[in-house]
Amino acid sequence: MAYMPQTPQKALPGAYVQTPAHQSHALSQQGQVAQTETQKTTPEEIQPTARAAKAVNEALWEESRYPELDSYIGQGISSEYEVSAQSAWAPFQKIKMYPIPDRIFEQYNRAQVSTIMGLFADFNHAWVAIDNALYLWDYTHPNPDLVSFEDATHTITAVKLVIPRAGVFVPSIVRLLVVATTADIILVGMSTQTASHGGKTVALYSLKMSTPVKGLDVDVIEGSDATGRIFFSGRGSDDVYEFTYQQEERWFTNRCAKINHTTKGYSTLTPTLFFGKRVQQELVVRMVMDDSRRLLYTLSSKSTIRTFFMRSNSALDLVITKPLNQILSNVGHMTSQTELLTPAMRIVSISAITAQEASKTNLVASTSSGCRIFMSATSAYGSSPSSSIAPTSMQVQHVKFPPAENSIPLHNQSSQSNQLTQHSTAPSINTSSRALKETRSAVRYAPGYFLTFVVREQQPGTDLLFASAPDSARIAQPQIQQTPVRYPELAFWISLGSRAEDVGLATGEFSATSSPVGFGNELAVQFDRPTPEIAVLTNTGVHMLRRRRLVDIFAAALRLGGGAEGLEGEVNRFVRRYGRGEVASTALAVACGQAFDVTSDSRLARISDPEVLELARKCFIEYGGKPEYPENSIHDRTIPAIDFVRPSPRHAGVARYISRLLRSIWKAPIVIEKLTPTGGFMVVSAVGLGKLQDTSQDLTKLKEFLTANKSFIEGLAGPEALGNVHSKREEVSLQGEHRALHALAVLIDRVVEGISFVLVLYDEKIEEIIISLADESRQQLRNLSYEGLCTTDLGKMLAKDLVKAIVNRNIVSGSNVETVAEALRRRCGSFCSADDVVIFKAQEFVKRGAEAGADSDVCRDYLNESLRLLRQVAGSLSMEQLQWTIGQYVALQFYAASIQLCLEKANESDRGNRALTWIQEGRPPGDRRGEAFEGRKKCYDLIYQVMLSVERSRTESPDMVDGQLTLSGKRREEAGDEIDTADDEVFQTDLYDWYLQNDRADQLLEVESPYVITYLQRRSSENVAHADLLWRYYVQKERYQDAAVVQLALAKSRFALSLDKRIEYLGNARTNASTTRPGIVRSSRTEVLREVSDLLEVANIQSDLVQRLRSDDRITADRRPKVMEELDGAILPLTVLFNTYCEPAYYFDLCILIYETADHRVASDIKATWQNLLERAHTMAEQTDQGPEPYEMVAENVRSLGTKLGLSETMFPVTELLPMLKRYAHNYQHERGPETWVLDIFIDLQVPFETLYATLEHMFYNDEPPFQGRQRRLIANDIVYIARMWFQDSSRGSRSAFGGEDNAIAVSQMLHMVMQSGLDERRLEECQNLRMRIEHLLR
């Protein structure tokens, strides 16, 4: 738009201000940066794998917070049982009974003195000691071999299997058999091997180690697994002895010995004398070891519990003695008197509770009345003892009373009954039940498996087993219980049909975690650890009891719950007890085949009954709950609504099930580096490969289930499910559910492939693969977990490195790369995709090309094929792969291909061209589109490296030889063509930036591309240098009109340019706009030229103003820089120049120039300003001591301004100025200076004589003051002077005097009139002579 001058306003009242303050009014300008709106940033979208990983981690965290034992058996009492006789809800299931082999009975029939039996359940072996012979057999084998020990010479009284002290025996001796006889204790070595049928075989070795114990009648032995120490006691006293052993004899110690830790010195040799009534001697009947606290507990025949502390110096100190009366006293503070806890009852067994299971509770004592007394030991000041601090006191913590008597099964009760008898803590606790009144023995295993053997009067030779276990699912979620419960247990009764001899845990000790919190969470490990099994040895055989997991109970409940008709009732029961999320997780596990049951032939098998699986599927789908969207409670509307959706319990169930499958591998490292005994390097898996395969299979089944039922599962059905929603709220909820479930589905795929990838690594020579990695990658791999591998970018990157290492190793070994890569793709596609296969194949072509030689045709063929393949998969190329390829291409002078590949990669990395829109919008900071540009720029930087390599190659080989283009020159030319013809605008933009950053502006101006103008136009609004390049580029291309437009914009811009520089731009713009060239529209050129001219006039006025103010001593020195800064920059509007600076500063000549430029035609303003100008000039001259006369200064001002104004009739009104000057001369300069100095001004300015004559004539006739009376002669003199000068000027050449006869007549007549006005003699004579000459011409 053309610059439109503004009409100056009236001067503001007030005196001149020394430092005029101007308000900046910038001119509108072309090419100025537009202000863009701040873009609203949305929360960064979480990737599905990261979202699913978060859900899995939350599930793992929740399960790690499972309450510790102390929290639900706190101070008090309870009797919470839910008893079911062999029903779906039974906590244990009898798998089968292994009979005692006939060969054992044959030996038993030969017994003469005694027979004792026992179990080594962790080895699946039982033993029997018959007189002085010991026999072992694998009770799981149908026809086992007997392993015998017959070296004892005396009757065997006790047998115990212990772990030996480290370093004493050879590594193959993994256990010690401690065999006690009536005369000595013998150590027998044991080694084990895994048999072909999966069981264990044992071998016994004579160690020649024994110590005499004659008279002690040893029947109780206990060993410390941590230290290898062996303790024992016998029926001869209540002393506690230790059996010590070492590898060799020493000076003062034998290889074996015994130490009495309770009776010291000679007292052991002194017989006990009884006077009067004989007192029954107190004996040790049981020992229990707690290695976690270094405590040994003993139970005496008088129900006294003693606690010994094992010190590090092999000492054993008695620290606590807790007699029965004290125990009962403690109990008395918790409950009123009960017949179940009286001095008449006995404590029949004790079981240690380790520090890993409970921080406070140490021991549980079982009474003959069936009560369990939980006890805690404390050290000084009531703190819990540690392994280094001995406890000093023991108190009763909790008492668990027996179940109700009506829970005892009747003989005619069906074994398949599904009735559940609940005995709740509310409203009262049953403290008088005689259900376990005749308890003979009991045992407890972590995390709370309790087996009690009860003798009934009706069947004195047989035991009735009462088995209970914590209801882990209820304990895990106490918040959903309608009424508070304490220590809830599931229990059942089973008749053994014979007397129990021993009990053992066939599987390892249970522990979900290594700390009390989370220790007892059976739910968390039900798919991750072997299911606990307990062996019960009776005189007829070994009964195997298997812990029933929640998944097994749920499957059995579905099978026995009445089918589809009873499904709702069963499911609702589970939901009330365990919550909908746990039910969904359990139903999903059943549907995926995780439930086991005992078959009719006593085999343990997965439940594959189609009816049960269908019911589980139906339960998962129909009872999984709904997602929640709390629309009314949302306050932050900037967050997407979907982020507020709380997924359904079904989603929580899926996440929980996945977390349980992944529990042992999720945080485990992928590899563990070790050194072999010989110092070699080896890599092992932190997780067994078999476990990885099982996990992969379980996840695959889950994936298949979700895929098969996708259309039925709300949230996985896809977009078609939105057709069933009825409100926006339902739609958002469904979208949130879909996002959450879809993320889990993606994670399942990713983990399955991740496990497959790890298995591939271990199938290869993993040591060689890891050694080939870079040091940084190798360190990162050491810390990489399965979670990191499957869900993080680092895992992806390391997987790529490993795949590359695998491929490279196979290349070195001569294997076909494509075959290897294809095998990887099939097994773990996300880690080695089809694109990866193509990349590896292309890399192999590059290597073959390098081997063939850079100048060979074979090399070019290989390189062209590699380029074709890489362009197909450019989007999958990593930067490392791209850099390697470009490096190879450049080394082989494959320049053009390098550029093509980089451009292809850049486009694939930003297929939406978001980087271009970011650039076009001015590169707003914080915009995520900038990341797309940075991704592209990495590729462009490689191109610049190629360009530099091309330039360097010119110094090695010329482009032309003998007038012919060389091969190297041709390749360089191809590279240049690729760059110049690239249609990637983002690349061209970045290329031009690179040119300018590296001082290659001339190279930019030589580019023939439409993007150059676009680039410079965009960047010209950012700095002057780009704008200068733009108009230079236009001039070089002879586009002068466009160059003028750019220069005009620069002159009007807000850049920090001086006023002189802007005037220079305007001058050049006027020159360019004035240059005509075919094809330019005349109107457009005229408009630009007019705008340039107008603005140049303003700029010149402002420049004059700057010069005036710079030397104006009215401005103080400290304010002058600010004034100069305001004026010596942007071109200001005329209004500002006039009102703020010129008029207040009395620069009236500039005011008149502003009138002219602004086309201000108000005659009164113009006349007044001229009058002010004359007065100002006169005043300034008079104030100057040395200088021109006032009339000279006035004359010079008028003459200078008249020249600038070009005798404008409006701005230089002669008819007003001449009288004004005559009056000034008469009033202020009378008789000073030449008589005709006023007229000489106008004559010098070439004002037409006719105009001057007419003006003087008008003044003469009007008789205006002060030219009245005799003063009229002054005007008359001027008329004579002007007439003479006019006559002389017009008489030259062939022109007519005064321009014509009429004018001559008029002048003659006027002279006649003037002669009568009283001229002086000289003027009169001059007038007469002039009139005569005129008259002569008129004849």
Side-chain angles (χ1 to χ4, degrees), residues 568-805:
E568 182 176 1
E570 289 295 330
V571 171
N572 287 337
R573 180 188 299 179
F574 272 89
V575 169
R576 286 193 303 271
R577 292 168 61 91
Y578 308 133
R580 202 171 290 275
E582 187 61 53
V583 171
S585 175
T586 305
L588 181 60
V590 173
C592 292
Q594 289 286 0
F596 283 81
D597 200 0
V598 178
T599 63
S600 57
D601 57 350
S602 299
R603 288 186 303 105
L604 190 65
R606 290 183 184 271
I607 295 179
S608 57
D609 185 351
E611 182 180 359
V612 174
L613 299 183
E614 174 59 24
L615 290 175
R617 184 191 75 87
K618 186 176 181 181
C619 174
F620 174 76
I621 294 174
E622 296 182 3
Y623 296 90
K626 299 283 185 182
E628 295 181 10
Y629 173 49
E631 184 178 14
N632 297 330
S633 60
I634 295 175
H635 302 291
D636 189 353
R637 299 292 176 179
T638 62
I639 300 176
I642 193 174
D643 289 342
F644 290 98
V645 175
R646 185 182 300 110
S648 66
R650 181 187 297 105
H651 166 268
V654 177
R656 194 172 296 173
Y657 179 55
I658 294 174
S659 71
R660 290 169 180 174
L661 294 179
L662 299 178
R663 179 182 176 85
S664 62
I665 74 169
W666 187 244
K667 300 292 184 180
I670 302 293
V671 298
I672 296 178
E673 297 181 4
K674 291 184 175 181
L675 294 178
T676 63
T678 59
F681 174 71
M682 65 180 298
V683 177
V684 298
S685 175
V687 181
L689 300 185
K691 174 63 178 176
L692 291 177
Q693 292 171 345
D694 292 343
T695 302
S696 179
Q697 292 174 3
D698 290 339
L699 289 172
T700 301
K701 291 179 182 178
L702 173 59
K703 173 186 174 182
E704 292 172 351
F705 173 83
L706 295 177
T707 302
N709 295 278
K710 183 176 181 180
S711 58
F712 304 105
I713 299 174
E714 183 176 340
L716 282 182
E720 58 271 15
L722 292 175
N724 299 324
V725 300
H726 301 91
S727 65
K728 180 65 177 178
R729 181 174 184 175
E730 291 183 10
E731 179 182 351
V732 173
S733 298
L734 188 59
Q735 289 172 345
E737 179 79 354
H738 172 76
R739 185 176 70 171
L741 286 176
H742 171 71
L744 293 176
V746 172
L747 179 65
I748 293 170
D749 288 337
R750 186 73 179 174
V751 174
V752 169
E753 292 192 355
I755 292 175
S756 296
F757 178 69
V758 173
L759 293 175
V760 168
L761 283 179
Y762 285 99
D763 287 343
E764 299 282 335
K765 292 185 177 180
I766 189 170
E767 289 82 5
E768 295 180 8
I769 294 172
I770 291 180
I771 290 175
S772 67
L773 296 177
D775 291 341
E776 182 181 1
S777 297
R778 187 171 171 183
Q779 180 58 43
Q780 291 171 337
L781 182 61
R782 293 190 190 105
N783 301 326
L784 184 67
S785 65
Y786 284 85
E787 177 191 10
L789 175 68
C790 299
T791 64
T792 65
D793 292 336
L794 176 62
K796 245 185 232 182
M797 181 193 72
L798 291 176
K800 294 288 185 184
D801 291 344
L802 290 168
V803 169
K804 183 178 178 181

Side-chain angles (χ1 to χ4, degrees), residues 7 19 43 78 125 223 253 334 379 697 752 763 854 974 1016 1076 1253:
T7 302
T19 55
S78 65
H125 274 64
T253 56
M334 300 179 186
S379 58
Q697 292 174 3
V752 169
D763 287 343
E974 291 172 350
L1016 291 176
T1076 59
Y1253 175 81

Side-chain angles (χ1 to χ4, degrees), residues 1008 1013 1030-1044 1072 1075-1080:
E1008 294 286 345
I1013 294 177
L1030 178 59
W1031 69 259
R1032 286 174 57 193
Y1033 189 84
Y1034 281 140
V1035 171
Q1036 185 170 311
K1037 304 305 178 185
E1038 298 183 354
R1039 295 175 59 175
Y1040 303 110
Q1041 178 77 8
D1042 294 327
N1072 287 322
T1075 304
T1076 59
R1077 188 169 179 266
I1080 298 178

Side-chain angles (χ1 to χ4, degrees), residues 66-67 72 80-82 89 420-425 470-490 521 523 550 573-579 582:
Y66 183 90
Y72 56 86
E80 175 75 12
Y81 296 92
E82 293 187 2
W89 290 83
L420 192 67
T421 303
Q422 180 173 352
H423 306 279
S424 174
T425 55
D471 193 348
S472 301
R474 292 182 71 187
I475 295 173
Q477 301 189 54
Q479 70 276 6
I480 67 172
Q481 307 300 326
Q482 295 179 354
T483 57
V485 294
R486 172 175 285 187
Y487 197 6
E489 289 183 287
L490 295 175
N521 195 348
L523 301 175
L550 183 62
R573 180 188 299 179
F574 272 89
V575 169
R576 286 193 303 271
R577 292 168 61 91
Y578 308 133
E582 187 61 53

Side-chain angles (χ1 to χ4, degrees), residues 1012-1026:
V1012 175
I1013 294 177
T1014 304
Y1015 167 78
L1016 291 176
Q1017 285 176 340
R1018 185 184 303 122
R1019 300 302 294 269
S1020 63
S1021 61
E1022 300 174 3
N1023 59 66
V1024 178
H1026 288 91

